[in-house]
Amino acid sequence: MKKKILSMLLLAIPMLTFAQEATMDEKIEAKFKPFADAVSSVVFYPISIVGIEVPIVIIILLLGALFFTLYFKFANITLLGVALQATRGKYDEIDHHSVEVAAGDSTPGGDVFESVQAEGVVGEVTHFQALTAALSATVGLGNIAGVAVAIAIGGPGATIWMILAGFLGMSTKLVEATLGVKYREVGEDGKIYGGPMYYLNKGLKEKNLKGLGKVLAGIYAVFVVGGSFGGGNMFQSNQATAQFKQLFGLESGFIFGVIMAILVGIVIIGGIKRIGQVTEKVVPFMGIMFVGASLIIIVMNITIVPEAFVQIWDGAFSEASITGGLIGVMIVGFQRAAFSNEAGVGSASIAHAAVKTKFPASEGIVASIGPFVDTVVICTMTALVIVVTNLKSNLFNYSNLDEGDNVIMNTTGEHLGGVDLTSVAFESAIPNFSILLTIAVILFAFSTMLSWSYYGIQGWKYLFGKSKIADISYKALFLIFVVVGASSSLGSVIDFSDAMIFAMVFPNVIGLLLLAPKVKGELTRYLKAIGHKSQK
């Protein structure tokens, strides 16, 4: 086991050496691009729908989300109030104390001395901390850059389909987080180990599918480690550094990367408790800051808002060709929303598994808020700002974009990336918004790296064991990749990382579908405990 870990550490040495060289990009692109392209082509293999190529992984995510929404009778909407109340702690007394009749109790009545308090209640973080830790991994550059790309490709109408995808994704998150808590393990030191690796292994074993469960769990663990180093780390540090360099005119990102690595290291050494303590402060702050700026722009242009809504509605349903235009806009909206909220990827269930509760469904219901905040609220705000400001200032023409490079051409012929377009849209209404956006991007990237470090280490420990050396080796590697990502521009590595993240969908969704009846039982048990009208 130690040899395996050592070999993984040795792999990082050439990467760190490359980071110091001027030709790092070319060297890694030349050697890694063929492999990255091969992996990406498999994960994002497209099928044709009315002449439009759609990655099969997106179809699996959407069909799975639709199934769970129907199977749980729209719990994503009907239980939203319960989710908000549970998040703020209204049901904590029931969650942590239960009046359950003990075997042989001849006088059941619910007296306090009959209540279970500490027994059976394990976990490291509160409902709110678990939610913000999970949100910190999804609320990020996808909300800033991804939404801009969706609007630029699909037009304003893509907004409607992003919102719908967000609502459907709430059902998937409910299932994932419930299973994450139900099948978690508690270490001798009280630390929690959970997520798809555990519910695939243990849950499918209960259904007499032990072999399938072990294989799917192992595959998932490999993908989550790869995704944590790439999309959850290098891409984040790279984009934060790029925004910082652009604002201050710096040429090298190495020093900034080292500083960010130190800050990330200070937090992740403390584990999920420290991560939860940081994210419960950072995530609300950055969310309020971004949504607040959006609301200011919307209020400033309130007379244009009705026209913007007309464009959004007409663009979603009134395309000239229902087989081409309408389906195209729908797919763009669904795809970008899926990339943003990660419902179906299973990663968030790792953070939610650490919650203090004895009712798995309590955290499943709380987790369903994630896609609502990420996609329905924040993505919609970004989209509305872009549509409104484009109506006012004619910043760019819709569909004038190279989708492969995510490069948008504005009306003056200049090329803009997704982040650039959002920045231009906001800055057209709020002077010097680029400073605020830089702060937002850095906070988004920082919080995303925190949560993905926790996701990755859970997969790492599942593969290599829960020893101290496994813990230290992973965190050392993770911090090295923070610096590497900040010092380079690795397009193919990012493509590979995204492929690794979405490769998690295949083993995860199989498990979710097979274990859905277990979730229904847990949901009924929890709703009965809090006195809510349970589903029948």
mmCIF file of all heavy atoms in Angstrom, residues 339-359:
data_model
loop_
_atom_site.group_PDB
_atom_site.id
_atom_site.type_symbol
_atom_site.label_atom_id
_atom_site.label_comp_id
_atom_site.label_asym_id
_atom_site.label_seq_id
_atom_site.Cartn_x
_atom_site.Cartn_y
_atom_site.Cartn_z
ATOM 1 N N PHE A 339 -23.793 20.706 -15.875
ATOM 2 C CA PHE A 339 -22.385 20.954 -15.600
ATOM 3 C C PHE A 339 -22.212 21.842 -14.373
ATOM 4 O O PHE A 339 -21.198 21.771 -13.688
ATOM 5 C CB PHE A 339 -21.718 21.613 -16.808
ATOM 6 C CG PHE A 339 -21.178 20.641 -17.814
ATOM 7 C CD1 PHE A 339 -22.031 19.839 -18.540
ATOM 8 C CD2 PHE A 339 -19.816 20.519 -18.040
ATOM 9 C CE1 PHE A 339 -21.562 18.938 -19.476
ATOM 10 C CE2 PHE A 339 -19.327 19.614 -18.969
ATOM 11 C CZ PHE A 339 -20.193 18.825 -19.700
ATOM 12 N N SER A 340 -23.195 22.679 -14.103
ATOM 13 C CA SER A 340 -23.086 23.608 -12.988
ATOM 14 C C SER A 340 -23.408 22.959 -11.651
ATOM 15 O O SER A 340 -22.637 23.073 -10.692
ATOM 16 C CB SER A 340 -24.014 24.808 -13.216
ATOM 17 O OG SER A 340 -23.978 25.687 -12.123
ATOM 18 N N ASN A 341 -24.550 22.249 -11.556
ATOM 19 C CA ASN A 341 -24.972 21.769 -10.231
ATOM 20 C C ASN A 341 -24.508 20.348 -9.905
ATOM 21 O O ASN A 341 -24.650 19.898 -8.773
ATOM 22 C CB ASN A 341 -26.493 21.891 -10.061
ATOM 23 C CG ASN A 341 -27.277 21.043 -11.057
ATOM 24 O OD1 ASN A 341 -26.996 19.864 -11.255
ATOM 25 N ND2 ASN A 341 -28.289 21.648 -11.678
ATOM 26 N N GLU A 342 -23.990 19.610 -10.892
ATOM 27 C CA GLU A 342 -23.398 18.283 -10.674
ATOM 28 C C GLU A 342 -24.364 17.258 -10.079
ATOM 29 O O GLU A 342 -23.928 16.249 -9.520
ATOM 30 C CB GLU A 342 -22.154 18.387 -9.791
ATOM 31 C CG GLU A 342 -21.020 19.192 -10.414
ATOM 32 C CD GLU A 342 -19.824 19.342 -9.490
ATOM 33 O OE1 GLU A 342 -19.751 18.648 -8.460
ATOM 34 O OE2 GLU A 342 -18.954 20.179 -9.795
ATOM 35 N N ALA A 343 -25.660 17.499 -10.188
ATOM 36 C CA ALA A 343 -26.624 16.515 -9.699
ATOM 37 C C ALA A 343 -26.489 15.238 -10.528
ATOM 38 O O ALA A 343 -26.571 15.274 -11.744
ATOM 39 C CB ALA A 343 -28.039 17.068 -9.811
ATOM 40 N N GLY A 344 -26.272 14.116 -9.871
ATOM 41 C CA GLY A 344 -26.058 12.852 -10.550
ATOM 42 C C GLY A 344 -24.610 12.429 -10.567
ATOM 43 O O GLY A 344 -24.291 11.253 -10.773
ATOM 44 N N VAL A 345 -23.712 13.387 -10.319
ATOM 45 C CA VAL A 345 -22.284 13.071 -10.259
ATOM 46 C C VAL A 345 -21.957 12.340 -8.959
ATOM 47 O O VAL A 345 -21.033 11.537 -8.897
ATOM 48 C CB VAL A 345 -21.443 14.362 -10.406
ATOM 49 C CG1 VAL A 345 -19.959 14.084 -10.202
ATOM 50 C CG2 VAL A 345 -21.680 14.991 -11.777
ATOM 51 N N GLY A 346 -22.712 12.625 -7.910
ATOM 52 C CA GLY A 346 -22.544 11.922 -6.642
ATOM 53 C C GLY A 346 -21.567 12.549 -5.681
ATOM 54 O O GLY A 346 -21.480 12.155 -4.516
ATOM 55 N N SER A 347 -20.811 13.539 -6.149
ATOM 56 C CA SER A 347 -19.764 14.137 -5.317
ATOM 57 C C SER A 347 -20.322 14.790 -4.058
ATOM 58 O O SER A 347 -19.739 14.660 -2.970
ATOM 59 C CB SER A 347 -18.970 15.160 -6.138
ATOM 60 O OG SER A 347 -19.851 16.062 -6.783
ATOM 61 N N ALA A 348 -21.444 15.494 -4.183
ATOM 62 C CA ALA A 348 -21.988 16.214 -3.029
ATOM 63 C C ALA A 348 -22.378 15.284 -1.892
ATOM 64 O O ALA A 348 -22.346 15.679 -0.720
ATOM 65 C CB ALA A 348 -23.200 17.052 -3.454
ATOM 66 N N SER A 349 -22.728 14.043 -2.203
ATOM 67 C CA SER A 349 -23.138 13.111 -1.147
ATOM 68 C C SER A 349 -21.988 12.816 -0.191
ATOM 69 O O SER A 349 -22.212 12.402 0.948
ATOM 70 C CB SER A 349 -23.645 11.802 -1.761
ATOM 71 O OG SER A 349 -22.605 11.092 -2.392
ATOM 72 N N ILE A 350 -20.757 13.045 -0.639
ATOM 73 C CA ILE A 350 -19.588 12.824 0.220
ATOM 74 C C ILE A 350 -19.580 13.851 1.341
ATOM 75 O O ILE A 350 -19.322 13.527 2.509
ATOM 76 C CB ILE A 350 -18.296 12.895 -0.608
ATOM 77 C CG1 ILE A 350 -18.294 11.814 -1.692
ATOM 78 C CG2 ILE A 350 -17.067 12.743 0.297
ATOM 79 C CD1 ILE A 350 -17.115 11.893 -2.647
ATOM 80 N N ALA A 351 -19.867 15.109 1.007
ATOM 81 C CA ALA A 351 -19.928 16.157 2.036
ATOM 82 C C ALA A 351 -21.156 15.982 2.919
ATOM 83 O O ALA A 351 -21.080 16.126 4.150
ATOM 84 C CB ALA A 351 -19.944 17.538 1.371
ATOM 85 N N HIS A 352 -22.277 15.659 2.318
ATOM 86 C CA HIS A 352 -23.519 15.505 3.094
ATOM 87 C C HIS A 352 -23.445 14.308 4.045
ATOM 88 O O HIS A 352 -24.138 14.288 5.066
ATOM 89 C CB HIS A 352 -24.710 15.358 2.154
ATOM 90 C CG HIS A 352 -25.100 16.628 1.465
ATOM 91 N ND1 HIS A 352 -25.630 17.709 2.129
ATOM 92 C CD2 HIS A 352 -25.012 16.995 0.158
ATOM 93 C CE1 HIS A 352 -25.864 18.689 1.266
ATOM 94 N NE2 HIS A 352 -25.496 18.283 0.070
ATOM 95 N N ALA A 353 -22.627 13.317 3.726
ATOM 96 C CA ALA A 353 -22.525 12.132 4.583
ATOM 97 C C ALA A 353 -21.975 12.452 5.965
ATOM 98 O O ALA A 353 -22.173 11.691 6.908
ATOM 99 C CB ALA A 353 -21.645 11.072 3.909
ATOM 100 N N ALA A 354 -21.283 13.586 6.100
ATOM 101 C CA ALA A 354 -20.646 13.935 7.372
ATOM 102 C C ALA A 354 -21.575 14.651 8.345
ATOM 103 O O ALA A 354 -21.158 15.041 9.438
ATOM 104 C CB ALA A 354 -19.417 14.812 7.113
ATOM 105 N N VAL A 355 -22.853 14.800 7.992
ATOM 106 C CA VAL A 355 -23.773 15.567 8.827
ATOM 107 C C VAL A 355 -24.118 14.826 10.120
ATOM 108 O O VAL A 355 -24.108 13.594 10.180
ATOM 109 C CB VAL A 355 -25.065 15.865 8.024
ATOM 110 C CG1 VAL A 355 -25.931 14.620 7.893
ATOM 111 C CG2 VAL A 355 -25.852 17.001 8.662
ATOM 112 N N LYS A 356 -24.448 15.597 11.143
ATOM 113 C CA LYS A 356 -24.886 15.021 12.412
ATOM 114 C C LYS A 356 -26.380 14.723 12.323
ATOM 115 O O LYS A 356 -27.204 15.639 12.385
ATOM 116 C CB LYS A 356 -24.627 16.003 13.560
ATOM 117 C CG LYS A 356 -23.164 16.302 13.822
ATOM 118 C CD LYS A 356 -23.011 17.390 14.878
ATOM 119 C CE LYS A 356 -21.546 17.745 15.086
ATOM 120 N NZ LYS A 356 -21.382 18.889 16.002
ATOM 121 N N THR A 357 -26.727 13.492 12.180
ATOM 122 C CA THR A 357 -28.139 13.110 12.097
ATOM 123 C C THR A 357 -28.275 11.609 12.266
ATOM 124 O O THR A 357 -27.320 10.862 12.051
ATOM 125 C CB THR A 357 -28.748 13.520 10.736
ATOM 126 O OG1 THR A 357 -30.137 13.175 10.730
ATOM 127 C CG2 THR A 357 -28.066 12.808 9.585
ATOM 128 N N LYS A 358 -29.459 11.185 12.668
ATOM 129 C CA LYS A 358 -29.757 9.753 12.694
ATOM 130 C C LYS A 358 -30.810 9.398 11.656
ATOM 131 O O LYS A 358 -31.205 8.248 11.529
ATOM 132 C CB LYS A 358 -30.181 9.318 14.092
ATOM 133 C CG LYS A 358 -31.484 9.927 14.580
ATOM 134 C CD LYS A 358 -31.823 9.426 15.983
ATOM 135 C CE LYS A 358 -32.039 7.930 15.987
ATOM 136 N NZ LYS A 358 -32.339 7.404 17.332
ATOM 137 N N PHE A 359 -31.277 10.408 10.927
ATOM 138 C CA PHE A 359 -32.240 10.185 9.850
ATOM 139 C C PHE A 359 -31.579 10.522 8.513
ATOM 140 O O PHE A 359 -31.433 11.708 8.178
ATOM 141 C CB PHE A 359 -33.483 11.066 10.034
ATOM 142 C CG PHE A 359 -34.360 10.661 11.174
ATOM 143 C CD1 PHE A 359 -34.296 11.326 12.387
ATOM 144 C CD2 PHE A 359 -35.264 9.608 11.051
ATOM 145 C CE1 PHE A 359 -35.103 10.971 13.451
ATOM 146 C CE2 PHE A 359 -36.079 9.239 12.110
ATOM 147 C CZ PHE A 359 -36.001 9.909 13.318
#
